[in-house]
Amino acid sequence: MLVSRKYIEQYFNLENYTNDAIAEALTTSGFEVEGVIAYDFKNKLVVGEVLTCEKHPDSDHLHICTVDVAIEQLQIVCGAKNVAVGQKVIVALVGCELPQLKITKSKVRGIESSGMLCSLVELGVPESTLTDEQKNGIEILKSDAIIGDIANKYIGLDDVIFELGVTPNRSDVVALNNLLKELAAIFNQQINIEIPTVTTNLIDTPLKVACSENRYISAQKIENITIKDSSEHIQSLLKTYNIKSINNIVDISNYVALLTGQPNHIYDAEFVKGSLRIVDDYEGEFVALDGNTYNIVKGDLMIFDDEKPLGIAGIMGGEYSKVTENTKNVIIEVANFERMKIRNTSRRLNITSESSIKYQKNIDPQASDYASRYIVDLLIKEADAKNVYNKIESSQKQINLTTLKLDYQRLNNHLGSHFSKEEVFSVMKRLDFEIKNDEITIPSYRSDITVAEDLYEEVIRLLGYDHLPTTLPTVSASNKSLPLIQKMQRNISQFLNKNGIQQAMTYTLISDELNSFALNVKEDAISLASPLSDDRKIIRRSILPSLLEVLAYNESRSVENCSLYEISDVTDKESSENRLSIVLSGNKYANKWNNHVVTNDFYVMKSLITQMLVQLGYDKQRIVYQANTNQSLMHPYQCVDVYIGRDFIGTFGTIHPTISKKFIVSKCVLAELNLTKLESLKVGKIKYTPVSRYQSVKRDIAILVDKSVTYGAIKSVIEKTGKSLIKSLEVFDIYEGENIGSDKKSMAIRITLQSQTETLDNHTIQSLMENITTTLTTQLNAQIR
Amino acid sequence: MLQKIQLEALEKIMQCQNNTQLNEIKVLYLGKKGPLQEVMQQLKTLSVEEKKEVGKKVNELKSLLESTIETKRIQLNEIALQQQLENEKIDLTLEADYYEQGNLHPLIKIQTELEDIFIAMGYDVAKIGEVELDLYNFERANIPHDHPARDMQDTFYIDDEKLLRTHTTAVQMRYLEEHANNLPIQVVCPGKVYRRDDDDATHSHQFMQIEGLVVKENVKMSDLKGTLLLMAQKMFGENQKIRFRPSYFQFTEPSVEVDVSCPFCGGKGCNVCKQTGWIEILGAGMVHPKVLEMAGIDSTKYSGFAFGAGIDRIAMLRYGVEDIRHFFTNDIRFLKSFNRFD
Ligand SMILES: [Zn+2]
C-alpha cells in the first residue's frame, strides 16, 4: 500500500516528523515501511528554457541546445525528437543523480554537453502512468514555470511516497479513508471524514437488479454527464497509485475505489438493456476492457444485463459498454461477491486488476453504500450530472457490529504490562472506537477484531512494545527434554564426526529416477499432487541416492576422499522412519610419505558400524551381519544386512560397479540404517566387571582350509570349543597362492585365553589347544600347519 | 706396584667406548684373577703392620676403580641416549593433517544450539513427521479454508487431506492436542518445512524452522519478550537487544515480528539491515484463544506464547552465508568451513 506524505499532510500536522520519523512510527505500529520513494535530486534538477536548438553536424537525431537555467546558460546535446526553441524543460545539471545514471560533463559526438534535458521516464516515473508522448520525448513544462526553480513541483514529484507492508488482517487500510483513521490513531491526532449525502431530488428508477443471497449488487442511473478531464486533486491522487488518468468518469470510479476500498463499475447507460444480474453459469467468450477476449467457463461470475454479458464480475468490465467521450448517461454498479470465486477466475484467466485485488481483501460491508454516495456526489460536482435516479439494490445483509468488553486488568495480566485504565481506554479513543461502560463497539471496517485479545494488541501496538517489560515464565522442570531418538542422533553424529565423516543435508523431494535407486523400501513412494518440477516430485524413501549425488558433485570438482552422512526422515505411503546413511570414498586417511594409508573399504565400514552400534549400547554378540547377494545398489559379494538379534536394522556394502558408473562416482562403500527401529530395541547399560586378575595367554595357530570356509565359521568353531576361556581372536595373516593350492587359503589366528577364576596351567592350555585343532580338522577339514 | 695398576686401570676406563668394554675392564681389574687379587695373595709374606697398610691401600684402590667405572658408565649411557635421540631427528615441518574430523551440518549445528538453549530453560523437544494433515497444518492453526496461505500454489499437497507441512506450527498444533490434559506445556519443535517456492538465493522449497510453545497458567507476553531476549543473547552475543514489531499470524494474538540488533553493524545501520540497525529473525505472539479452545484447552484459565524462527535464516546471519542453496548443495569445502566450536 502506497501513501504520499503530501496527501496525509492535508489531514495531519506532521511538521515535526522527518520522513524517517514517519517511517518509524508506521513500522512500530504494525505497518512496516518497506520503501520510501522520494524523487530527491538534491537541487540538481531545475527548470530551464531552450534558447537555441540546432542540428548536430554529425548526427541526424541529435540537437545542440543552449539552455537558460537562470544562473548560467548551458550547452546541452539532446536526443529527443520533440525538443524546440522556447520550451520550458527539465534540466538535470552536472552532478545530478538520476535512477539510471549520474550526469557528468561530457562530449557527445565531439560536441561538449553540460547536463541533460529529461523525460519523466528518466526520472524514474513508472511508464504505466505516462502517455506515449511522455514516454517518447522530454517533458515539456507549462510556459509559466520559473527558470532556475527546482523542477519537482512542476511535475508532481515534490512528494514522498511510503510503501507500507499491510498484514492480511489489516487490509481495511487499502481504503484511504480507513488508512486516514489508522494514521489519526498512530499520530494521535483528530480526523473527521464525512461521507457525502446526495441532496438532489431523485427520479424513480426503471432499473432492476438480481443476484443470489450471498452476493450484493446495486445500480443507479445518472443522466447528462459531461466528459472532461478530472480535477487536479483526483488526478494527483491517482498518480500516487500509478493509475492512469482517463477522463472524469473513469477517474471518479477509480478514485472512489481508492477512498472506500469498494470496487465499482460505471457503464455507458446506452449499452445496458434492462436489469443488472450476477450470473455464474455463462460459458463462452467475452471481450474485456483491455481488448482481450477471454474464455469464460461455468462457475465464473459474470455481470449480465437482460441480453448479454457486461463484465467479468469483480475483475474487468466489457469493451462494449465502457464509458467513452460520447457517453451521456451512465449506470453505476456496486457489487460484492465471494472472494474465492474472484480469486479463482482471476488466476485462471491470468488477469489482475485494481478491482480483483481489492475484492480479495476484506471489504467494509458499509463501503458499498459509501461508494455510491461518493460517486453520485462527484458526478454532480465534477461531471455536471443532471438527472439522478434512485439507487436499486439487492437485499443487504444486516450489519451486526461486534461489541467487546475491555478489562484493563485482564489486559495487563495477559501482556505483563502495567498500564492504567486511562492509558488503555485512551487508545480506544485514538482509534475512534465507541466506548460504553467498558464495552467497546468495533466499527464495521475493523472486521479483524473479534476477541478481547485483538483489543489488547491494539493497545500495546499503539502505546508501543517498548513499554512491554521483560520477564521470564516460571520454570516447570522437565525430566524428558530430549527424545531418545534425538539423543541417539546426536550420539551418532558425534561418533561419525570424530571418525572424519562430514554431515550433509539433502532435499526430501527427489525425481522419479533417483527414487528408483531407493534402498530397503517397503511400500510405494508418495508423489506430490502439484510438484514444482520433475526433479522434486517424490518424497524420498531412502537417503543413499541423494548422498551419491552429493558425492558425484564433489568428485566432479576434484574434491577427494569424501565421506558423508545424513540423518533424515524418509516416508512411504504407509509410514515414516528415521534413517542414517553413510557414504565413504577414497581414503580414510593417507600419509603417503610414510605409507600410512587406510583406504575406505568394506572393512572400514564394518568397523565403523560395529563400533557405532557397540557405543550406542548394543553388545557385540547381538550384532549379526548376514551376507546379502541381492541388493541392487551393492556389490553382490561385498554386502551385508545388519541385524540386532533378529531385528533387521539396515544394510551396508561396497557400491555395485554399474551404480558407481550410473552416478559417476568412485568405488565407495555405502550404508543405510533404520534409526527408528534401532531406537526401539533395548540397549545394554554400562555394566562394570572387574578386570581378570589372572594372566592371559596367547597362542597362535595357522590353518589351511578351503577358500569357501569363512572366518566366521572358524571363529564359531573355536569359540564353541573354548567357551568362556576364549577372550579374543585376531587374524594376523591370510595367504592364498599356487604353492598351497588354488582352492585353499591359509589363515593365521592369535587366540587369547584367559580365565576369570584361575591362572591357566600349561596342561589345561595344551589340552584346550589340542581340542581346538581337532575340532577344526574334523568339522572344517582344516589342516593345522 | 699399586700405583702402576691404578694408572693403567684409570687410563683404560677413560678409553672405554661402551658398556661392554667397561664390563671387561671391571672383570679384568676387580675380578678374581685381577691384579689386585694378586697383590692380596702376596700379602701373606708381609708383616702384620705392612699387611694392614697395604690391605687398606688395595681396598682404597678397589673402591676408587669401582666408583670410576660407575661414573664412566653413567657418562656412556648418557652419550648413548644422546646418540639415539640424534638418530631419531625428524622433519618437523612435514604436513600432518590427515586425521581429519567431520563436523555437523551448519543447520543442524544451529538447531542443536537452539535446542540446548531451550532445554536449559526446562523445555522438552518434540519431533513429529513432515507429512502432515491439512487439519493440523492449517485448520487448527486458525487458518480457514479460503485463506490465501492455504493456496495450492504455496503448499505441496499430496492429496486433499495430506501435505508436506509448511511450518512447524503444525507440530505445535498436534502437541497442543496431545497434551491438552497434561499441562503445562513447554516445548520446542525443530524440523524441516516445505513451501512451493522456486529456489533462489533467499528462497528454498525446503528449509528449517524451530517452533516454541509454552502453555500454562499466567503466561504473559512479557515472558515471551524475556525468553526471546535470552535466546537472542545466547545466539548472537550478550549485548544483543531485541525489538517487537506488531504483525499478524492467524494462530497468535497479539502477534509480533521480532528483530535483533544487526549483528553486522551492531545496530548502527548497514546494507544488510537496510540502514535500520535491526534484522528480523522470527515471528511470535500469544497463542490465539481459538487455537487453545480447538485443542480442548480452557482459554480463560490457561494462556500461552509461541514463536517460530527460521534456522536457515539464523545460520545465514550468524555465518554470513549469502545463498540459502549452499546449505543443500553440500560442497564439502563449504561444509568444512563450519568445523569449529563457536
Ligand atoms: Zn546492520
Side-chain angles (χ1 to χ4, degrees), chain B residues 262-279:
Chain B
C262 174
F264 296 97
C265 62
K268 287 189 209 85
C270 69
N271 281 339
V272 181
C273 60
K274 292 186 197 147
Q275 309 303 331
T276 62
W278 295 101
I279 287 198

Short mmCIF file of all heavy atoms in Angstrom, two decimals, chain B residues 262-279, ligand 1:
data_model
loop_
_atom_site.label_atom_id
_atom_site.label_comp_id
_atom_site.label_asym_id
_atom_site.label_seq_id
_atom_site.Cartn_x
_atom_site.Cartn_y
_atom_site.Cartn_z
N CYS B 262 21.28 -5.59 14.54
CA CYS B 262 22.01 -6.15 13.41
C CYS B 262 23.39 -6.64 13.84
O CYS B 262 24.20 -5.86 14.33
CB CYS B 262 22.13 -5.09 12.31
SG CYS B 262 23.16 -5.60 10.94
N PRO B 263 23.67 -7.96 13.69
CA PRO B 263 24.97 -8.48 14.13
C PRO B 263 26.12 -7.99 13.26
O PRO B 263 27.28 -8.13 13.64
CB PRO B 263 24.80 -9.99 14.04
CG PRO B 263 23.63 -10.23 13.16
CD PRO B 263 22.79 -9.00 13.17
N PHE B 264 25.82 -7.41 12.10
CA PHE B 264 26.89 -6.97 11.21
C PHE B 264 27.40 -5.58 11.56
O PHE B 264 28.58 -5.29 11.43
CB PHE B 264 26.41 -7.00 9.75
CG PHE B 264 26.10 -8.38 9.29
CD1 PHE B 264 24.80 -8.85 9.29
CD2 PHE B 264 27.12 -9.24 8.90
CE1 PHE B 264 24.52 -10.14 8.90
CE2 PHE B 264 26.84 -10.54 8.49
CZ PHE B 264 25.53 -10.98 8.50
N CYS B 265 26.49 -4.70 12.00
CA CYS B 265 26.93 -3.33 12.28
C CYS B 265 26.70 -2.98 13.75
O CYS B 265 26.99 -1.85 14.16
CB CYS B 265 26.19 -2.35 11.39
SG CYS B 265 24.40 -2.37 11.67
N GLY B 266 26.17 -3.92 14.53
CA GLY B 266 25.92 -3.65 15.93
C GLY B 266 24.81 -2.64 16.14
O GLY B 266 24.71 -2.02 17.20
N GLY B 267 23.98 -2.43 15.11
CA GLY B 267 22.83 -1.55 15.26
C GLY B 267 23.04 -0.15 14.72
O GLY B 267 22.16 0.70 14.80
N LYS B 268 24.22 0.09 14.16
CA LYS B 268 24.48 1.44 13.64
C LYS B 268 23.84 1.67 12.28
O LYS B 268 23.62 2.80 11.88
CB LYS B 268 26.00 1.67 13.52
CG LYS B 268 26.68 1.86 14.87
CD LYS B 268 28.13 2.31 14.66
CE LYS B 268 29.02 1.84 15.80
NZ LYS B 268 29.51 0.45 15.60
N GLY B 269 23.56 0.58 11.57
CA GLY B 269 22.98 0.70 10.23
C GLY B 269 23.99 0.29 9.17
O GLY B 269 25.11 0.81 9.16
N CYS B 270 23.59 -0.64 8.31
CA CYS B 270 24.48 -1.08 7.23
C CYS B 270 23.62 -1.62 6.09
O CYS B 270 22.40 -1.57 6.17
CB CYS B 270 25.47 -2.14 7.74
SG CYS B 270 24.69 -3.72 8.14
N ASN B 271 24.26 -2.13 5.06
CA ASN B 271 23.50 -2.63 3.92
C ASN B 271 22.64 -3.83 4.27
O ASN B 271 21.54 -3.98 3.77
CB ASN B 271 24.45 -3.03 2.78
CG ASN B 271 24.92 -1.81 2.02
OD1 ASN B 271 24.26 -0.75 2.08
ND2 ASN B 271 26.04 -1.93 1.35
N VAL B 272 23.19 -4.71 5.12
CA VAL B 272 22.46 -5.93 5.44
C VAL B 272 21.13 -5.60 6.13
O VAL B 272 20.10 -6.18 5.84
CB VAL B 272 23.31 -6.86 6.33
CG1 VAL B 272 22.54 -8.14 6.65
CG2 VAL B 272 24.63 -7.18 5.65
N CYS B 273 21.16 -4.63 7.04
CA CYS B 273 19.94 -4.29 7.78
C CYS B 273 19.21 -3.13 7.12
O CYS B 273 18.32 -2.54 7.71
CB CYS B 273 20.25 -3.99 9.23
SG CYS B 273 21.40 -2.61 9.46
N LYS B 274 19.57 -2.79 5.89
CA LYS B 274 18.97 -1.67 5.15
C LYS B 274 18.98 -0.39 5.99
O LYS B 274 17.99 0.32 6.07
CB LYS B 274 17.54 -2.02 4.73
CG LYS B 274 17.48 -3.11 3.69
CD LYS B 274 16.04 -3.28 3.22
CE LYS B 274 15.83 -4.59 2.49
NZ LYS B 274 14.49 -5.14 2.71
N GLN B 275 20.08 -0.17 6.68
CA GLN B 275 20.31 1.05 7.47
C GLN B 275 19.41 1.17 8.70
O GLN B 275 19.44 2.18 9.39
CB GLN B 275 20.16 2.33 6.62
CG GLN B 275 20.95 2.34 5.32
CD GLN B 275 22.44 2.12 5.52
OE1 GLN B 275 22.99 2.48 6.57
NE2 GLN B 275 23.10 1.52 4.55
N THR B 276 18.62 0.14 9.00
CA THR B 276 17.71 0.27 10.13
C THR B 276 18.36 -0.14 11.45
O THR B 276 17.86 0.22 12.52
CB THR B 276 16.46 -0.61 9.96
OG1 THR B 276 16.89 -1.98 9.90
CG2 THR B 276 15.71 -0.26 8.70
N GLY B 277 19.45 -0.90 11.38
CA GLY B 277 20.07 -1.38 12.61
C GLY B 277 19.38 -2.62 13.18
O GLY B 277 19.82 -3.17 14.18
N TRP B 278 18.30 -3.06 12.55
CA TRP B 278 17.55 -4.22 13.04
C TRP B 278 17.43 -5.28 11.97
O TRP B 278 17.32 -4.97 10.79
CB TRP B 278 16.14 -3.80 13.46
CG TRP B 278 16.09 -2.87 14.62
CD1 TRP B 278 15.90 -1.52 14.57
CD2 TRP B 278 16.24 -3.20 16.00
NE1 TRP B 278 15.91 -0.99 15.83
CE2 TRP B 278 16.12 -2.00 16.74
CE3 TRP B 278 16.47 -4.40 16.70
CZ2 TRP B 278 16.22 -1.96 18.13
CZ3 TRP B 278 16.56 -4.35 18.08
CH2 TRP B 278 16.44 -3.13 18.78
N ILE B 279 17.42 -6.53 12.40
CA ILE B 279 17.20 -7.62 11.46
C ILE B 279 16.13 -8.54 12.02
O ILE B 279 16.17 -8.95 13.18
CB ILE B 279 18.51 -8.38 11.22
CG1 ILE B 279 19.42 -7.51 10.37
CG2 ILE B 279 18.23 -9.71 10.55
CD1 ILE B 279 20.53 -8.25 9.69
ZN ZN C 1 23.46 -3.58 10.05
#
